[in-house]
């Protein structure tokens, strides 16, 4: 099968890779780049375990082709911490026991960071609505919501290390958004 060159920035590092045209972004991240914090849960956008930021917006990477991310900036859960210092959302999930098995946690944190970027002071209802696309089968969501609200109170829930998208990246994200709208 033929391959296509893809150039993208992942967690601040430029990556040049050759991929099959049908390769999903989640598999590029996990299998090619070794970023296994992004989980594969359903491959149908139902669970949100694969949520990453594509040009500053949360997307479910199991339904984005790697070639669609050409020229884009991608942030995964591995890019949230600042060295050994956890991102405020990661810290809040830890402190508030917002995880049990941890499978959904990376996607929840990425979705929550997107929510807090758009709404830095959400209500409990807004947090619950903002995380609707992410499923947790262990916690019942109470501590997840509490963690997001606590990170918002700290005022830094979605503001750490957010890349400024390039024009090509913005155009790429808009094209992806148009393709995946119902």
């Amino acid at each position: 099968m033929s391959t296509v060159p893809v150039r993208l920035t992942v967690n601040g590092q430029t990556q040049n890779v050759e991929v099959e045209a049908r390769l999903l972004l989640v598999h590029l991240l996990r299998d090619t780049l070794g970023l296994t914090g992004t989980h594969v849960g359903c491959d149908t956008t139902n669970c949100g375990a694969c949520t990453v930021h594509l040009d500053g917006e949360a997307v479910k990477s199991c339904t984005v082709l790697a070639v669609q991310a050409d020229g884009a900036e991608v942030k995964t859960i591995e890019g949230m911490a600042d060295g050994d210092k956890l991102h405020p959302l990661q810290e809040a999930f830890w402190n508030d026991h917002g995880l049990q098995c941890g499978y959904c946690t990376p996607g929840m944190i990425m979705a929550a960071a997107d929510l807090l970027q758009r709404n830095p002071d959400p209500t409990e209802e807004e947090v619950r609505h903002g995380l609707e696309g992410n499923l947790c089968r262990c916690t019942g969501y109470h501590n997840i919501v509490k963690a997001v609200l606590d990170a918002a109170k700290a005022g830094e829930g979605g503001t750490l290390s957010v890349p400024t998208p390039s024009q090509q990246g913005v155009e790429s994200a808009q094209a992806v958004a148009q393709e995946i709208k119902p």
Side-chain angles (χ1 to χ4, degrees):
M1 180 156 282
S2 64
T3 61
V4 177
V6 173
R7 179 185 174 102
L8 65 163
T9 303
V10 181
N11 299 329
Q13 295 186 349
T14 301
Q15 302 287 338
N16 291 300
V17 293
E18 292 280 332
V19 301
E20 290 184 20
R22 64 185 181 165
L23 184 71
L24 295 172
L25 179 58
V26 68
H27 296 298
L28 170 66
L29 295 170
R30 290 182 57 80
D31 304 335
T32 304
L33 301 179
L35 299 171
T36 58
T38 302
H39 294 155
V40 178
C42 67
D43 282 329
T44 60
T45 74
N46 286 318
C47 75
C50 66
T51 302
V52 299
H53 293 178
L54 179 66
D55 288 327
E57 294 191 33
V59 298
K60 294 177 180 175
S61 61
C62 73
T63 57
V64 176
L65 295 171
V67 295
Q68 291 175 296
D70 187 34
E73 296 174 26
V74 177
K75 181 181 269 192
T76 69
I77 191 68
E78 290 91 347
M80 294 296 282
D82 184 11
D84 290 339
K85 184 178 183 326
L86 293 177
H87 183 278
L89 274 165
Q90 292 170 310
E91 202 57 58
F93 268 69
W94 177 269
N95 291 334
D96 292 332
H97 308 287
L99 58 116
Q100 284 185 17
C101 81
Y103 200 81
C104 71
T105 304
M108 285 284 186
I109 289 173
M110 299 307 289
D114 180 67
L115 168 68
L116 294 179
Q117 273 299 117
R118 292 179 285 108
N119 181 358
D121 189 25
T123 64
E124 179 179 337
E125 183 179 327
E126 289 169 329
V127 170
R128 289 183 183 279
H129 179 71
L131 298 179
E132 281 179 347
N134 292 71
L135 299 178
C136 176
R137 293 184 173 103
C138 299
T139 69
Y141 299 94
H142 178 74
N143 288 344
I144 291 170
V145 172
K146 184 176 186 299
V148 175
L149 291 170
D150 284 350
K153 284 178 196 166
E156 300 180 58
T159 61
L160 188 65
S161 302
V162 176
T164 303
S166 62
Q167 183 59 36
Q168 182 181 8
V170 169
E171 292 167 4
S172 173
Q174 289 169 342
V176 169
Q178 290 300 320
E179 291 177 24
I180 59 177
K181 281 188 178 176

